[in-house]
Amino acid sequence: MHHFTYNNGVLHAEDVPLPRIAAEVGTPFYCYSHATMTRHYVVFRDAFGSLDINVCFAMKANSNLAVVRTLAEIGAGADVVSGGELQIALKAGVPANKIVFSGVGKTDAEIRLALACNVGQMNVESEDELLRISAAATQLKKEVRVALRVNPDVAAGTHDKISTGRKDDKFGIDWTLVPDLYRKARTLPGVIPSAIAVHIGSQITNLAPFEAAFLRVRELGLMLRADGIPIDHLDLGGGLGVPYDHDAEPPPLPADYAAMVKRTLGDLGCKLTFEPGRLIVGNAGIMVARVIACKEGPSRQFVIVDAAMNDLVRPAMYGAHHEILPVHERPMASPVKPYDVVGPVCETADRFAQDYRLPSMERGDLVAFMTAGAYGAVMSSSYNARPLIPEVMVKGSAYAVVRRRPTFEQMMALEQLPPWLA
Ligand code: LLP
């Protein structure tokens, strides 16, 4: 469910017609719906009923300050994976005790920053990292709750590049080694090992792998408790998928996911943390582009738009499907043609869709790439010296640019010639 709908034949973001934003901001741009992201957060949170939970928005999905502030205002915590995300979370008003610091490679500087900011929890990826956190905490006279991130050796059944819980993935600590490391952690100063974390991947569309991983966490939790280690927090990661393709089977609803969590872990009396990213912002954002040209190949029709793989890399990187809608609705009976929708970047990978059925397209038409709110703007680059595209947030009939398009001077501001060329 989202708030991008046709009204009088024109695609709107909530109550704002997209052509108006295109005229005022220029294309391409990202557009976020405030109502959609807050609704998703509330639906997810409320699905757990009386369970004691903390929803930490995975900022890697979208770390725009206004997005994080919107979620912080309604009580969200944050899952951060870098010093940069940590600083945005704090700037957006997320209380430090609701911040979980994850990430497979934390630098010493990031560890010190996280400790100095008093984050609520650090998710540990290796013995070496545990020792570094303990040493830094001791030096800074801090104490932090740590969760060992368990690698449960479960295949999430999602795209290979975003599966993280198999034993040969770089993430987490082999679940068979975890008990010994907890015993060791108990002897270390500066760390309180009272939590277990797990995250098996992203865009997961079936509950079975989650359940397999959570049962492993349950087993570990009970074993550790029997060993006298007081596990009272479980961090179950993110990963619940969203519908990208309306012809495909829809992913499980938050209510089904929550019921499975209750069934597998509800009786342990632990506080549960979740790190959803895509689920909160995925279909709360779109990317709007304008058709630069239509080009006829010997056997294919190309629609060349002014957005490219540097702006939305998911199709090029994961073969991801994003629905494409004409911003001006065509009558139901209009003939459709198969188009290759491509960007201007000099790579054949710069293709958003192949044989995509659209009504007849013309230069100047606006199109919307749907479900682009997660892993869209955050993964963009300025490849081909293309400026990062603006982000706009809509709330009812109001809208605001929440990240500006840089000028050429701003794009170049960090570059300088060496003395021998100046
Ligand atoms: N927690 C951890 C430890 C993670 O690694 C991730 C995502 C999440 C939470 C949030 O997962 P979500 O709820 O958003 O599925 N760029 C890829 C997705 C990469 C996901 C990385 N980790 C894509 O565009 O599909």
Side-chain angles (χ1 to χ4, degrees), residues 58 60-61 79 102 149 162 199 201-203 237-240 275-279 314 318 375 379:
K60 57 178 79 65
D79 160 39
S102 319
R149 176 171 172 184
I162 53 175
H199 172 81
S202 191
Q203 186 54 18
L240 193 54
E275 303 171 351
R278 194 187 310 263
L279 187 80
R314 301 192 69 259
Y318 314 111
Y375 308 108
M379 292 181 77

Side-chain angles (χ1 to χ4, degrees), residues 307-368:
M309 63 187 285
N310 67 299
D311 304 310
L312 175 63
V313 77
R314 301 192 69 259
M317 192 151 174
Y318 314 111
H321 173 97
H322 286 266
E323 246 179 82
I324 305 170
L325 296 179
V327 167
H328 290 95
E329 198 174 23
R330 308 300 160 85
M332 285 293 272
S334 339
V336 292
K337 289 194 232 168
Y339 284 108
D340 284 7
V341 181
V342 301
V345 158
C346 306
E347 291 200 30
T348 299
D350 185 21
R351 179 173 59 210
F352 292 112
Q354 212 169 0
D355 287 327
Y356 197 91
R357 298 179 76 74
L358 284 169
S360 184
M361 288 277 120
E362 281 177 27
R363 172 176 164 75
D365 285 346
L366 291 170
V367 289

Side-chain angles (χ1 to χ4, degrees), residues 182-395:
Y182 271 104
R183 282 180 210 116
K184 174 151 196 186
R186 280 202 85 180
T187 66
L188 295 173
V191 292
I192 309 164
S194 60
I196 305 177
V198 73
H199 172 81
I200 57 170
S202 191
Q203 186 54 18
I204 300 170
T205 54
N206 183 328
L207 292 180
F210 283 118
E211 186 161 354
F214 297 168
L215 285 172
R216 194 139 272 178
V217 167
R218 176 189 179 84
E219 199 185 318
L220 273 172
L222 292 173
M223 189 197 303
L224 291 168
R225 277 183 177 175
D227 228 16
I229 300 173
I231 298 295
D232 55 13
H233 279 71
L234 302 177
D235 179 341
L236 302 178
L240 193 54
V242 302
Y244 280 98
D245 181 350
H246 285 96
D247 294 332
E249 171 101 1
L253 296 171
D256 302 330
Y257 173 83
M260 179 274 292
V261 169
K262 266 186 222 168
R263 198 171 62 240
T264 48
L265 298 166
D267 61 328
L268 295 186
C270 286
K271 177 152 188 152
L272 302 179
T273 294
F274 298 93
E275 303 171 351
R278 194 187 310 263
L279 187 80
I280 309 293
V281 290
N283 68 11
I286 63 173
M287 181 180 72
V288 178
R290 197 180 284 283
V291 175
I292 298 176
C294 295
K295 175 171 165 174
E296 194 115 358
S299 57
R300 312 196 71 81
Q301 307 237 34
F302 297 100
V303 177
I304 306 169
V305 297
D306 60 3
M309 63 187 285
N310 67 299
D311 304 310
L312 175 63
V313 77
R314 301 192 69 259
M317 192 151 174
Y318 314 111
H321 173 97
H322 286 266
E323 246 179 82
I324 305 170
L325 296 179
V327 167
H328 290 95
E329 198 174 23
R330 308 300 160 85
M332 285 293 272
S334 339
V336 292
K337 289 194 232 168
Y339 284 108
D340 284 7
V341 181
V342 301
V345 158
C346 306
E347 291 200 30
T348 299
D350 185 21
R351 179 173 59 210
F352 292 112
Q354 212 169 0
D355 287 327
Y356 197 91
R357 298 179 76 74
L358 284 169
S360 184
M361 288 277 120
E362 281 177 27
R363 172 176 164 75
D365 285 346
L366 291 170
V367 289
F369 294 84
M370 307 305 288
T371 325
Y375 308 108
V378 282
M379 292 181 77
S380 59
S381 75
S382 48
Y383 186 35
N384 278 202
R386 294 165 52 85
L388 293 180
I389 69 176
E391 295 171 79
V392 172
M393 187 180 286
V394 172
K395 182 171 191 255

